Amino acid sequence: LGQSRTKLPLACFAVGGTESADGKSDKVVVMHMRSLHRTKHDDDDDSDASSDGGSDDLDDDPELRHVNINHQGSVNRIRSCPQRPACVATLSGSGKAHIWDISGPLRTLEQHASPAPNCEMDAVQTVSQHKDEGFAMDWSPLEAGRLATGDNKGSILKWTPASE
């Protein structure tokens, strides 16, 4: 989530999903990484990412904070919309596609407040037309909000999530 990170220390957001053994305790994980510095193993020739602090920055500890959102079933695929990074789609092991508005968890993480480890929220939209689980999903880079999902039986759906 996000682009144009060139000056150290870096900060970034990421989103991921889990696959639990029981299929009942899966999560969407929204993460914020900050205070990311060069390491002693980084190439010294990279002047574009140089830091004002010099080699003292190597000892600073990076921070990783996260918020978990309950998800029904395993998270087979997860993608953020390139035109609206707070809009995230997941494809579950049950074949359902879910759309999430993660702007609240992103704000909480960005404000450096201590986030609750679990966030109770529902998907903005769920599509249940797939007959099997799937692993294919991507947002259109050309048409904002257009999503394509595919399942293991060969069904491909092209759809635009409802407005929030």
Side-chain angles (χ1 to χ4, degrees), residues 98-155:
H98 305 280
I99 304 298
W100 305 87
D101 177 5
I102 62 166
S103 55
L106 288 173
R107 262 191 314 277
T108 299
L109 290 169
E110 188 173 37
Q111 294 169 352
H112 307 294
S114 294
N118 288 308
C119 176
E120 294 298 326
M121 62 185 294
D122 293 325
V124 174
Q125 184 177 356
T126 298
V127 172
S128 305
Q129 285 131 322
H130 285 292
K131 305 289 186 236
D132 195 12
E133 74 175 323
F135 295 91
M137 177 175 63
D138 209 358
W139 293 96
S140 169
L142 303 175
E143 191 174 339
R146 177 70 84 173
L147 183 68
T149 56
D151 65 27
N152 291 350
K153 295 207 184 265
S155 173

Side-chain angles (χ1 to χ4, degrees), residues 10-29:
L10 297 176
C12 69
F13 290 93
V15 65
T18 66
E19 181 177 358
S20 65
D22 64 7
K24 297 179 183 173
S25 56
D26 293 299
K27 310 282 183 207
V28 170
V29 183

Side-chain angles (χ1 to χ4, degrees), residues 15-132:
V15 65
T18 66
E19 181 177 358
S20 65
D22 64 7
K24 297 179 183 173
S25 56
D26 293 299
K27 310 282 183 207
V28 170
V29 183
V30 183
M31 297 164 273
H32 184 215
M33 295 167 270
R34 59 187 295 265
S35 298
L36 302 173
H37 295 270
R38 293 173 83 62
T39 67
K40 63 183 176 185
H41 301 290
D42 285 339
D43 185 10
D44 290 332
D45 296 337
D46 189 6
S47 60
D48 291 341
S50 65
S51 171
D52 296 334
S55 63
D56 294 338
D57 290 339
L58 297 177
D59 292 333
D60 290 346
D61 290 331
E63 296 177 34
L64 171 64
R65 296 176 326 115
H66 71 283
V67 172
N68 294 328
I69 302 168
N70 291 331
H71 188 274
Q72 292 181 343
S74 62
V75 180
N76 287 355
R77 287 289 182 263
I78 187 164
R79 299 280 187 272
S80 66
C81 180
Q83 299 89 355
R84 290 185 46 227
C87 181
V88 172
T90 59
L91 193 55
S92 74
S94 66
K96 293 181 181 178
H98 305 280
I99 304 298
W100 305 87
D101 177 5
I102 62 166
S103 55
L106 288 173
R107 262 191 314 277
T108 299
L109 290 169
E110 188 173 37
Q111 294 169 352
H112 307 294
S114 294
N118 288 308
C119 176
E120 294 298 326
M121 62 185 294
D122 293 325
V124 174
Q125 184 177 356
T126 298
V127 172
S128 305
Q129 285 131 322
H130 285 292
K131 305 289 186 236
D132 195 12

